[in-house]
Amino acid sequence: MEVPEGYKEMMIMVFSVHAKKPADVRDKYEGYLNSLLTDQERQSEYSTVRLQAFQMADANNDGVLDEAEWGTYCERMASWQDEMFGGHNEYSQEQIKHIFDQISKNSGSITKEAFIHNM
């Protein structure tokens, strides 16, 4: 299986930002992610949170997120992470755009299908 161009760089960036969180926040977040591997109820909960954030960010209800809507999605997920773990990944606008470009494959929008695939 071929890794899409830019994906490796995106993941390195994501992990480097994650590593900058305070240890207690990072530990809570990683514990939650580990529980997703085996807890179907938690998997469903997480999928619901992310899909609701996608739908709320889709301001024009066209089923895709443009770059501005993606920024809104990221803000909503940061708020959720603050509530759940006491902190969130502190991405720069450039990093948010990089993730958007990677998921959208530089098409200018993220479809719900691409979003689900990259969850």
Side-chain angles (χ1 to χ4, degrees), residues 29-75:
Y29 184 74
E30 290 172 1
Y32 183 85
L33 291 180
N34 285 335
S35 73
L36 290 176
L37 298 173
T38 57
D39 187 335
Q40 290 182 342
E41 186 175 317
R42 178 116 338 144
Q43 290 169 8
S44 178
E45 170 191 283
Y46 187 58
S47 293
T48 298
V49 165
R50 292 191 63 178
L51 286 171
Q52 286 175 341
F54 180 98
Q55 291 168 332
M56 293 170 116
D58 185 12
N60 59 3
N61 293 314
D62 64 355
V64 300
L65 299 183
D66 61 26
E67 192 171 335
E69 292 169 330
W70 174 251
T72 300
Y73 168 81
C74 292
E75 290 170 8

Side-chain angles (χ1 to χ4, degrees), residues 2 11 15 47 50 58-59 62 66 78-79 83-84 99 110:
E2 186 176 327
M11 292 310 299
F15 287 121
S47 293
R50 292 191 63 178
D58 185 12
D62 64 355
D66 61 26
S79 293
E83 290 175 25
M84 288 291 292
I99 295 169
I110 297 174

Side-chain angles (χ1 to χ4, degrees), residues 3 13 16 24 29 32 37 40 44 53 64 67-68 77 85 92-93 114 119:
V3 176
M13 182 265 303
S16 69
D24 62 325
Y29 184 74
Y32 183 85
L37 298 173
Q40 290 182 342
S44 178
V64 300
E67 192 171 335
M77 289 306 296
F85 316 116
S92 68
Q93 290 301 312
M119 285 178 70

